[in-house]
Each structure stands twice: as structure tokens, then as C-alpha cells.
Amino acid sequence: MITLNKLTLRIITISALQLILFLGYYYFSRPNNAFIYIVFSLFVNAFIVATVIWINNCGKSQVKWLEIKLTQLYEITHNLNKSTEIYLNNLPIGIMAINKDKKIVWINNILENILDGSFVGTHIELISRELYQNINDSIEQFEIMFKEEEFLTSYNEEYDVIYFERVTDLKNLENKYLERRLVLGQLILDNFSESLSKLDVEKRAKIQSEYFSEIGKWAEKKQIYLKGFATDKFLLLMDYQKLQELIKEEFEVLDEVRKISVQTKLQITVSIGLVCFDKPVLELQEKLDECVDIAYERGGDQVIVNIQGEQLKYFGGESQAQSKRSRIRSRVFAGQLTGMIESASKVVFLTHKSPDQDGIGGIVGLDSLCKSLGKESMILLDYIKSDESMKRILKLLFEVKNNITAKVDVIEDFIDKDTLIIVVDVNNLNILYGPVKENKTVVIDHHRRSENSIKSDVLYVEPYVSSSTEIVVEILMFHESNLQITPLEATLMLAGIVVDTSNFFLRTGARTYNAASFLRLNGADNVKVKMLLRDSYQRFSELNNLLTTSEVYKNFAIIKSEEHISSVLLAKTCEELLMIDSVDATFVIGKLNDTIVGISARSFGEINVQLLMEEFGGGGHFTSAACQIESTVEEMYEKLKEVLNTLMSEG
């Protein structure tokens, strides 16, 4: 700010300069009219002084105006800051400001009350390790607990501000709502009518009452609404809280019904489907039907639970699957499949990655059906990295089929909107080799369904059947009159059955022999099958070397190998181990490649190896299963022992 003293000093300075200029000019120029020159100089000096004074006064008025405005702005800002501070301190949300070093620089009153102190200058890790970890990882929103209170925490990384919203009451309300959500269920007595039909009326009524009484006692004990709507089917109603109790005890009704079946020597088990979704009842019914279908297609004697936002849960499955297949169902499916092939423009056949003899055998049979119906078809096989035994199969296959490719893009170019896609020997989307399209799709398989099942228009899954080839052969038997199968095609199909039954040793029923008989009548060569499945000397040596490294752990035989080993050799070695006396199940662990470890599992039926392999993300059958996982051999070995220990402790 310019003061009066400074102004005076300026005027004196200007006057002095003006006087010096005047004297200098006068001294050197010696003007004739000195008086006029003096008057003019004084006038100029006065003008300059007046101008300086005027400019200074203007500046002073502007400075005064600015001072007034700054004072007003300061008062507004002060009041605003004060009101903001009061507002932030009275918000129902905790607020914390931190610096770049993660130290607290300010918190509002609400958060002070929560933490019992301001903690300004304290590192947030001392407040909560979990809070520090989430902030350090730049997680924008997460939940955290303080003094048994739950808070939804939001982090603004740009301004280093953390907000804490108390959600305990909301969570409690949500939990109460979740606990009271409707659970819709269906209980089915597997193989009930078929088993009782063989008994006289009196015995049938007595046994039926035993099963119904046990189910009724279970429902009453657990406070479940139970209503029968068919001879072997019951409606179940409960809430989510009750469902959680049943999950913890793993549905003891399965064991109780199984005990009755042991006493009566009947093959009757229980299958249950349960769904809990915040959906209309009709949509719940659709999801319930899916659960029941999965339980049935996995062989029964189990519970499938589908809860919104969670993965499917499986319980039970401790009994061998009982065949519910009939000639009528097979004939109906055969007719349905024929109609779909005839109405399609083309047909594409897919199977799983690294195809085996069963997948190829099933495709060979169905491709022959397409040929007899005059339909163009293509086969996609992942055969590039096949082992020696599969290469012999493929060599024969290429002799009878010229419509095979390993290139997915070739198949994609071949498919049009009316092409029918037939998937054989796989229903798991994760291991399918080929494109998933919006086309009409048929799945034919004998593996138990999982949550990652392929979406299809027609699903024909029979988990109690020996092989997919057996299903296909039975379909072909209904077209015997106008179907031409070459002896080589019949041999390839027979090889599929032989491999999946371990030479008619496992999972073999009367219908399996009927299928084999049909193939023999069409020229299948047993000797050629045996020759196709022979091992090289190197493979034979590898198998025997693996057997020498086996160990017996409790009543299980286990082999682990750090060497690279094919999935086929894993399976063969596992089957050989079954010949050890007093062994209930066998497991072979080996490296399929540098990152993937495979486990092959086999049993005679005392142990459900399919359930064990599901613990590792795999699957298969009751007596034959496998898995592939990114891990190390030692990690898989230790985890397998943990699973087996749990199995033994649970009896």
C-alpha cells in the first residue's frame, strides 16, 4: 500500500529532476527568453505532480475496494469452513483424511467416537491392518469391522480421503431377509417303483411305509414342509436358514434311506434338488427342474443345491448309479435325433480335448447315421498331440472318414445357421474342443453333469452307462434296417467300449454286451481291437517302472511321478494298481506338461472316486475319475492325502 510519505518523496524527486533538467538546459542553451522558459518548466512540473497525485489517489481507492472485498471474502470463507467442519463432524459417516505416508491428518467427530480418539498423526496400520492393506492396494470399496460394527469403506485415492459408512443394521436386516428367503425343493425316491413292482402287495405296502415314515420323520424333525405329489416324489418348502442347517449336516436323510435299502436289499436311494433365489416362483421351478435333472444324470443318491450368487453344491453320491434307462427312452431319443439330423442343413461332431477311443467310437457311429440319411458332416478332433495308441486309431479313422479336421476355423467356416452340432463324450464346457455356437446342439455323454455343462437343446446323459459309444450303438440299433456300418467302423466303436470298460471289467451291464454283440454282427474284429490298443515297448517299460514306485497309504495305493506322463498311461497304471489285494482305491499323479498335473483314480465301487476328484475340480464316474490342475506333483500328493484322511475320518 502506497503511503503519503512515499507520495511526497516521489513529488520531491520529480521536482528535483525537473529542476536539474532546467538548470542543465539553461546552462548549455542560454535561451533568450528565460522568463517564459521558467514559467513553462514550472507548468510542466505542476502537471507531472498533479498526474502523480491523481494516479496515486486512483490506486488508493482501488486498494481500499480490494481490502473491503478481501475482508468480505475472508468472512464468507471463514463461515463456510466453519459450517463445513460442523457439517462434516455431524454427518452419520466417518471421514478420515490421510497424507501420502498413510498417516492421519484429520478425522471427523463421528470417526473419533468410533475409534475412541482422534489418532491424528497416527499411521493407519496401527488403527487396522486390514484397513492399511486395502488402502495400500488402492481398493476403492471394501467392508471392515470396528468394535463388532460393520462399515462399508470407500477410498478416494486422488484426495486421500476415506469414508466409513456404518452398515451393521442394514446387514442385519439383509441377513434376516436372506434367512427368510423361500427355498423350493423336490425329493425323489430313485428306482422306487421299479424295485417295489417285484414285490407282493403286502410286502410292498410295508416297505413303502418304511421309506415314507423315515422321510416324514426327517421333515418333521427339521421343520420342513413336506407334501407328496406322486408315488415317489415330494415337494419341499423351507427357508434359507433351515437350508444352511441341512448343508452343515450334509443331508442325513440320504444315509437313513440308504440304511433301509441295505436292510430290504433294494436299490432305492434319494435324490433332492433345492433352489433359493430372489425370483418369481415359476422361475424357481425352472431352476429346480435343472437341479433334479443334474441329480438324476449324476446317478442319483445325492442332493444338488443352487443358491443365488453361489456355485452349485453337491452332497451324497455315495451309491453306484442304478440304470434308469429303458428301450422306450432310447427309442424316443433315437427318433428325436434322427428328426433333428434330417431337418439340419449340415452336421458337425465335437468331442473333448485330447480325444480318446470312446469319443471317436461314438462319433464314428453317428457319422455313419448321417451318411445313411444323406447329410453332409464334418468332424473336429484335437489329434495333433495324440499318443502312439491313439495315432493307430486315427490312422484307421482316416481310412474310413475324409471329413476330419483339427482346425477350429475350418469348422467355423463350415457351420451355417441351420447346422446341427452333436457333442459326444463330454458335457463340460471347459474341456470341449470346438466352437460354441447358437446352433441347435445335442449332447450325448456318460459322464456326470457339472455346473459347467454345455447348453444344449437336447441333453442325453446316462452316467450309469459304460461309454458314450454304447449309447450311440443303441441308437444305431433302431436304424439297423437302413444303416450300413463297415467292419472297420464297427471295430473302432468296439474299441471305444473296450477301453472305457477296461476290457469289460468295469461299468459293464447287460446292455453293454448287447451293444458289443451288435458290433460283432457288423464285422467288429476283437483281435484288431486288441492290436490297436497294444502298447509300445517303451510305454510297457514306463508302466512297469511306475508300478515299482507305488505306495500303500492306509487302504489306498498311490503313485506319484515327477516325469512327464500321458493321461492314457496314468489311467492304465491306475487300473493295474487295482490288482493289489486289500486296496479300495488307486491314484496315480503325474506331470502332463511343465505346468499341468494330472490325477487318475480308480476303485472297485467301495469308494466313490468321482466325488474325490470333484474336490480337485475334476470328475468322471463312481469307479473311474480324473482331474487336471495347474500345480506341482508334491502339492497334489499332499492335498490328496488330506482328502483321503478326511474321507477315512468321516467313515
Side-chain angles (χ1 to χ4, degrees):
M1 183 181 297
I2 298 175
T3 64
L4 183 61
N5 291 334
K6 289 183 179 180
L7 177 62
T8 304
L9 182 62
R10 288 181 181 180
I11 293 173
I12 293 171
T13 303
I14 293 170
S15 300
L17 289 173
Q18 179 68 20
L19 181 61
I20 292 169
L21 290 172
F22 165 72
L23 292 174
Y25 179 78
Y26 185 81
Y27 177 79
F28 290 106
S29 300
R30 302 288 182 177
N32 295 325
N33 194 346
F35 177 77
I36 295 173
Y37 177 76
I38 293 170
V39 171
F40 176 76
S41 297
L42 291 173
F43 174 78
V44 170
N45 191 37
F47 176 78
I48 293 172
V49 170
T51 302
V52 170
I53 294 172
W54 179 77
I55 292 172
N56 181 69
N57 289 335
C58 289
K60 286 178 66 177
S61 63
Q62 288 181 348
V63 168
K64 188 65 176 177
W65 181 83
L66 285 173
E67 285 180 345
I68 294 170
K69 291 299 179 183
L70 285 172
T71 302
Q72 292 175 346
L73 184 61
Y74 172 77
E75 291 176 354
I76 293 171
T77 304
H78 176 74
N79 293 335
L80 183 61
N81 288 338
K82 195 67 179 176
S83 61
T84 301
E85 185 178 354
I86 294 171
Y87 176 75
L88 291 176
N89 280 320
N90 288 279
L91 272 177
I93 296 176
I95 304 175
M96 174 189 293
I98 61 175
N99 59 22
K100 298 302 180 183
D101 296 326
K102 303 295 185 291
K103 289 184 178 180
I104 301 171
V105 297
W106 180 84
I107 63 173
N108 67 348
N109 292 342
I110 295 294
L111 195 56
E112 279 189 20
N113 294 332
I114 294 170
L115 300 176
D116 289 335
S118 70
F119 292 95
V120 172
T122 305
H123 197 281
I124 60 172
E125 187 174 10
L126 298 176
I127 304 296
S128 168
R129 173 67 184 172
E130 183 184 357
L131 174 65
Y132 168 71
Q133 192 63 51
N134 287 318
I135 296 301
N136 199 47
D137 294 340
S138 300
I139 298 175
E140 293 183 355
Q141 197 169 69
F142 53 91
E143 292 183 357
I144 194 169
M145 295 289 293
F146 285 127
K147 296 183 179 180
E148 299 182 357
E149 294 275 9
E150 194 163 359
F151 294 87
L152 178 64
T153 305
S154 302
Y155 174 47
N156 188 316
E157 188 174 10
E158 183 179 358
Y159 298 105
D160 279 327
V161 178
I162 311 170
Y163 303 94
F164 300 83
E165 181 183 359
R166 184 177 177 273
V167 292
T168 306
D169 294 337
L170 183 63
K171 284 289 182 181
N172 291 337
L173 183 62
E174 182 182 358
N175 290 335
K176 285 182 180 179
Y177 166 72
L178 291 175
E179 289 173 358
R180 294 289 176 253
R181 274 191 302 175
L182 174 67
V183 177
L184 183 64
Q186 186 175 336
L187 183 149
I188 303 172
L189 284 163
D190 306 319
N191 206 36
F192 189 67
S193 299
E194 295 87 340
S195 298
L196 296 184
S197 64
K198 303 170 186 177
L199 307 175
D200 58 54
V201 175
E202 183 179 352
K203 195 170 184 180
R204 184 189 310 165
K206 180 183 176 182
I207 292 176
Q208 179 174 295
S209 66
E210 286 186 44
Y211 284 103
F212 288 2
S213 175
E214 187 60 48
I215 293 170
K217 285 191 294 184
W218 170 74
E220 184 178 1
K221 177 183 175 183
K222 302 300 179 184
Q223 298 181 326
I224 301 169
Y225 177 80
L226 178 74
K227 180 71 174 179
F229 62 92
T231 307
D232 55 356
K233 296 179 182 178
F234 298 85
L235 173 68
L236 303 175
L237 292 176
M238 66 191 81
D239 58 32
Y240 177 81
Q241 185 178 15
K242 185 60 61 180
L243 175 59
Q244 291 303 309
E245 293 177 14
L246 295 178
I247 288 174
K248 286 180 181 178
E249 68 177 30
E250 297 188 346
F251 299 91
E252 61 185 23
V253 68
L254 297 176
D255 298 326
E256 299 305 320
V257 169
R258 206 178 296 119
K259 289 177 184 177
I260 298 175
S261 296
V262 171
Q263 295 171 358
T264 58
K265 298 180 181 179
L266 296 175
Q267 299 292 337
I268 297 175
T269 55
V270 164
S271 289
I272 301 175
L274 294 164
V275 294
C276 181
F277 277 74
D278 186 16
K279 301 278 186 183
V281 175
L282 290 179
E283 291 187 34
L284 280 180
Q285 181 60 52
E286 291 178 6
K287 293 187 177 295
L288 177 59
D289 290 340
E290 292 177 5
C291 284
V292 171
D293 288 342
I294 292 174
Y296 165 72
E297 287 155 5
R298 287 169 58 88
D301 186 31
Q302 57 195 283
V303 180
I304 310 297
V305 179
N306 190 0
I307 300 174
Q308 186 170 357
E310 299 181 18
Q311 291 186 334
L312 286 181
K313 293 182 174 66
Y314 306 93
F315 302 90
E318 298 180 8
S319 300
Q320 286 267 29
Q322 300 299 315
S323 177
K324 302 174 182 66
R325 184 174 50 150
S326 67
R327 292 279 293 178
I328 295 174
R329 184 167 186 255
S330 296
R331 186 177 70 247
V332 170
F333 175 70
Q336 184 181 15
L337 179 62
T338 302
M340 294 180 75
I341 293 173
E342 289 178 333
S343 61
S345 60
K346 307 170 186 176
V347 179
V348 165
F349 293 102
L350 307 178
T351 186
H352 50 78
K353 299 171 184 176
S354 301
D356 57 12
Q357 290 86 346
D358 184 33
I360 289 176
I363 287 176
V364 165
L366 291 172
D367 191 56
S368 298
L369 176 61
C370 284
K371 185 170 61 177
S372 69
L373 296 173
K375 287 296 175 180
E376 184 183 5
S377 62
M378 282 284 287
I379 300 170
L380 179 64
L381 292 178
D382 178 27
Y383 59 77
I384 303 299
K385 296 181 181 179
S386 300
D387 59 23
E388 291 300 322
S389 62
M390 277 305 302
K391 285 179 179 177
R392 286 194 292 271
I393 295 283
L394 289 166
K395 184 178 179 181
L396 283 182
L397 182 63
F398 290 136
E399 291 181 14
V400 295
K401 303 289 180 184
N402 59 2
N403 57 342
I404 304 171
T405 182
K407 297 180 179 179
V408 176
D409 56 344
V410 172
I411 289 294
E412 289 179 334
D413 292 338
F414 178 78
I415 293 174
D416 60 32
K417 63 183 181 64
D418 295 320
T419 299
L420 175 66
I421 298 176
I422 301 179
V423 180
V424 181
D425 199 40
V426 58
N427 66 71
N428 190 326
L429 187 60
N430 292 339
I431 58 174
L432 173 68
Y433 184 67
V436 179
K437 298 283 188 178
E438 297 297 325
N439 296 62
K440 285 188 177 180
T441 305
V442 176
V443 175
I444 301 172
D445 192 22
H446 69 124
H447 298 98
R448 293 188 178 195
R449 281 185 67 187
S450 65
E451 190 174 7
N452 296 317
S453 293
I454 300 166
K455 291 183 179 180
S456 60
D457 298 274
V458 178
L459 185 68
Y460 194 81
V461 177
E462 304 285 8
Y464 37 78
V465 178
S466 71
S467 58
S468 297
T469 304
E470 180 184 331
I471 298 173
V472 170
V473 171
E474 191 158 272
I475 294 169
L476 299 180
M477 290 166 71
F478 292 105
H479 299 83
E480 188 174 2
S481 58
N482 58 358
L483 182 69
Q484 291 185 345
I485 302 175
T486 67
L488 195 50
E489 289 173 330
T491 299
L492 290 172
M493 284 188 274
L494 182 60
I497 296 176
V498 168
V499 168
D500 267 32
T501 58
S502 297
N503 290 307
F504 296 93
F505 176 59
L506 297 172
R507 302 182 303 279
T508 305
R511 312 273 291 262
T512 310
Y513 290 104
N514 287 339
S517 176
F518 173 79
L519 295 174
R520 286 285 289 134
L521 289 172
N522 281 274
D525 189 334
N526 283 334
V527 175
K528 185 169 284 189
V529 169
K530 196 71 175 177
M531 293 177 68
L532 285 172
L533 301 179
R534 286 189 302 178
D535 280 328
S536 64
Y537 177 75
Q538 181 182 357
R539 175 69 63 79
F540 182 78
S541 298
E542 289 175 354
L543 188 148
N544 282 283
N545 289 336
L546 283 170
L547 290 173
T548 61
T549 64
S550 63
E551 65 170 299
V552 176
Y553 179 74
K554 298 182 179 181
N555 54 331
F556 308 105
I558 304 175
I559 291 176
K560 60 174 181 175
S561 173
E562 293 288 349
E563 302 296 324
H564 284 198
I565 181 172
S566 71
S567 57
V568 175
L569 185 56
L570 280 177
K572 286 192 174 185
T573 308
C574 205
E575 289 170 6
E576 288 293 328
L577 279 180
L578 276 178
M579 301 312 295
I580 299 175
D581 190 25
S582 301
V583 167
D584 292 332
T586 60
F587 305 89
V588 180
I589 309 170
K591 296 176 71 172
L592 300 179
N593 55 46
D594 291 336
T595 58
I596 303 298
V597 174
I599 301 181
S600 188
R602 297 289 185 274
S603 78
F604 280 121
E606 292 295 323
I607 302 294
N608 186 344
V609 293
Q610 184 262 337
L611 288 180
L612 293 178
M613 289 300 98
E614 282 187 348
E615 293 286 333
F616 296 86
H621 304 280
F622 196 97
T623 59
S624 174
C627 78
Q628 297 180 10
I629 190 169
E630 190 170 328
S631 181
T632 66
V633 171
E634 195 60 34
E635 286 176 355
M636 295 293 280
Y637 174 71
E638 293 299 329
K639 185 176 179 181
L640 175 63
K641 289 204 297 186
E642 289 179 13
V643 171
L644 295 178
N645 287 333
T646 302
L647 175 69
M648 297 302 293
S649 64
E650 293 177 351

